[in-house]
Amino acid sequence: MITDFTPLQSLIGGTLIGLASVLLMLTLGRVMGATGILAGFMQPTSPRDWTWRAAILAGMVTAPALMLVTSGQMPNIEVPVSTPMLIVGGILVGIGVTFGSGCTSGHGVCGNARLSPRSIAATLTFMLFTGITVYVLRHVIGG
């Protein structure tokens, strides 16, 4: 699998994620963690809690449509694995974020910015196992 180097798009995307995280922290005092937002959406503590979570999830889902309207093209998303592997991956991610008390967005973006030792350890763990997984998939298994 070949991946493209897209520094401008990556910079814009990272800036938007950081801006959204800061705005959520400033306005609601909440950490921008995607899995925590989804979990709270499924089991909200109040109608107000559900509303902001629903707004963020709606933004995540409708962003590709906004890109279509503004650029005339849908984002090119390739998923080079089978459906069963996606399901297994989703289950493993669910287990990981449950035991890690958060995902890459919550720990990696917000936790590291707040110099949280737990988030720094979690992010280093994510990065280590990401590297190992990519190496095994690309060079050992030959995916």
Side-chain angles (χ1 to χ4, degrees):
M1 178 174 66
I2 297 173
T3 54
D4 296 327
F5 180 61
T6 57
L8 181 60
Q9 292 91 338
S10 300
L11 177 64
I12 293 170
T15 301
L16 290 173
I17 290 170
L19 180 61
S21 300
V22 169
L23 287 174
L24 186 62
M25 182 66 77
L26 283 175
T27 57
L28 298 176
R30 304 301 303 246
V31 171
M32 179 81 163
T35 55
I37 291 170
L38 179 61
F41 174 79
M42 305 292 272
Q43 296 178 333
T45 58
S46 69
R48 183 172 185 253
D49 182 64
W50 184 87
T51 302
W52 72 263
R53 293 172 190 274
I56 289 176
L57 292 172
M60 290 178 180
V61 172
T62 58
L66 179 63
M67 184 170 175
L68 176 63
V69 170
T70 58
S71 71
Q73 295 179 344
M74 286 293 282
N76 183 21
I77 300 171
E78 295 179 24
V79 182
V81 297
S82 65
T83 300
M85 289 302 292
L86 281 175
I87 292 170
V88 169
I91 291 169
L92 291 174
V93 168
I95 292 169
V97 299
T98 300
F99 285 115
S101 298
C103 60
T104 53
S105 57
H107 285 299
V109 176
C110 298
N112 286 340
R114 294 181 300 136
L115 300 177
S116 164
R118 186 177 68 135
S119 292
I120 292 169
T123 303
L124 290 174
T125 303
F126 297 150
M127 298 306 292
L128 173 66
F129 281 92
T130 298
I132 291 170
T133 302
V134 169
Y135 180 81
V136 168
L137 287 176
R138 289 189 175 182
H139 302 290
V140 176
I141 297 174

